Amino acid sequence: MKTYLTLSAIALAAAASLSSGVASAADAAPTEVPAITVTPNIGVVSDYLFRGISQNNKQAAIQGGIDVAFKEGYYLGTWASKVSDWTSGPKGDNAEVDLYGGYKTEVASIGVDVGVITYNYPGSSSGSLDKSNYHANTQEAYLGLSYGPATFKTSYVLGKNYFASTGGKDASGTLYYDLTLSQEVAPKLTAAIHAGYTDYRLDYQSNVDGKKFSYADYNVGLTYDYEGFLLGAKYYFNDVSAGTKYYANAAAADYGNGKSNLYKNTFVISVLKSF
């Protein structure tokens, strides 16, 4: 469940802030954009949260990926992380592997990013205790718009699954709205604030037990660039519903260390590096 502000996105936001008001395009020496740019990245987080919910039972996780960007604006990549049994299924492989691709451009000073992403959990197709489909694999299309420090992104669920919440029913059309503000506040120090909303479409925004599932999630954080290592600190808090609490509950022994409050407010630190 790849976080929207990835390593490269944070770095780009910081670079944009550094360049703003410091030097004009006319002052900068022209540089040739390479035909293909390959950027691997690796990181460690004290807890892996996605849309406000812990994906690794409130434990640390190693993550990493590789992005390939073409000068025409097209890009593709992959990203992986360790996850818990609750995320991938009690019989899953405790891994998330995302594949994504899209196109970035600029229209009237507004950045445009359109693409698709598939969130894959190896072993989840037989991840339930009875070896049935855990319905974790999820596919989304997205559209992102950015202007200055602000980025707004909408994600649309293409398939029936929505991260093991459907019980085999159809949650296609579920939407996620993401507004992020990011600004450099001191040399190499970037502050960011995020607000997101999950608009769940199954059973009129309810999950399988009939309780309302749609909810809002928020986080605020700082990222410091220390010689190419991005050191992050972020606080997450949510406006969860009864359905969200029912869904994000891993108290059963089948789900690793049995955390029941995967939606609880939490503080996360991270170290990320791109090459």
Side-chain angles (χ1 to χ4, degrees):
M1 299 174 181
K2 190 170 185 292
T3 314
Y4 183 57
L5 276 183
T6 60
L7 175 64
S8 57
I10 295 172
L12 285 172
S17 300
L18 281 169
S19 62
S20 177
V22 176
S24 67
D27 297 329
T31 57
E32 183 177 351
V33 177
I36 301 177
T37 302
V38 180
T39 309
N41 64 81
I42 190 169
V44 179
V45 294
S46 61
D47 187 10
Y48 168 28
L49 274 81
F50 176 75
R51 298 177 183 173
I53 297 175
S54 175
Q55 305 298 302
N56 198 38
N57 246 329
K58 307 190 77 65
Q59 297 180 356
I62 297 177
Q63 306 173 331
I66 185 168
D67 295 306
V68 180
F70 301 87
K71 68 177 182 180
E72 295 84 0
Y74 299 99
Y75 64 89
L76 54 88
T78 184
W79 183 88
S81 177
K82 182 181 181 300
V83 297
S84 67
D85 288 349
W86 177 85
T87 304
S88 65
K91 296 297 182 181
D93 297 339
N94 296 115
E96 173 186 338
V97 181
D98 301 341
L99 303 172
Y100 51 91
Y103 176 73
K104 290 183 178 180
T105 188
E106 186 175 292
V107 179
S109 299
I110 297 175
V112 180
D113 180 11
V114 59
V116 293
I117 181 169
T118 174
Y119 304 87
N120 304 297
Y121 304 89
S124 67
S125 60
S126 58
S128 297
L129 291 176
D130 61 0
K131 297 186 177 181
S132 62
N133 196 329
Y134 193 64
H135 304 289
N137 295 339
T138 303
Q139 301 82 38
E140 293 182 335
Y142 56 84
L143 171 64
L145 302 174
S146 59
Y147 183 80
T151 300
F152 180 74
K153 179 183 179 184
T154 302
S155 300
Y156 179 91
V157 174
L158 299 171
K160 293 183 177 182
N161 295 346
Y162 187 76
F163 304 112
S165 67
T166 63
K169 296 182 180 179
D170 188 353
S172 60
T174 291
L175 291 163
Y176 182 72
Y177 303 101
D178 178 337
L179 175 63
T180 300
L181 304 177
S182 180
Q183 181 67 47
E184 187 188 38
V185 294
K188 298 186 177 182
L189 182 67
T190 301
I193 181 169
H194 152 88
Y197 184 75
T198 299
D199 183 7
Y200 197 68
R201 294 301 176 90
L202 175 60
D203 293 340
Y204 302 101
Q205 301 184 1
S206 298
N207 68 358
V208 291
D209 77 330
K211 298 176 182 177
K212 184 176 174 61
F213 179 82
S214 300
Y215 70 102
D217 67 277
Y218 310 92
N219 64 67
V220 294
L222 294 170
T223 302
Y224 182 72
D225 185 347
Y226 178 73
E227 297 183 355
F229 289 87
L230 293 183
L231 311 178
K234 188 175 292 186
Y235 184 73
Y236 293 80
F237 54 102
N238 304 319
D239 179 18
V240 294
S241 62
T244 314
K245 293 179 180 180
Y246 178 88
Y247 164 68
N249 186 328
D254 305 327
Y255 299 122
N257 63 1
K259 297 291 184 182
S260 62
N261 53 352
L262 302 181
Y263 51 84
K264 187 177 180 180
N265 301 352
T266 190
F267 180 74
V268 175
I269 59 174
S270 61
V271 179
L272 305 171
K273 172 67 175 178
S274 64
F275 303 90

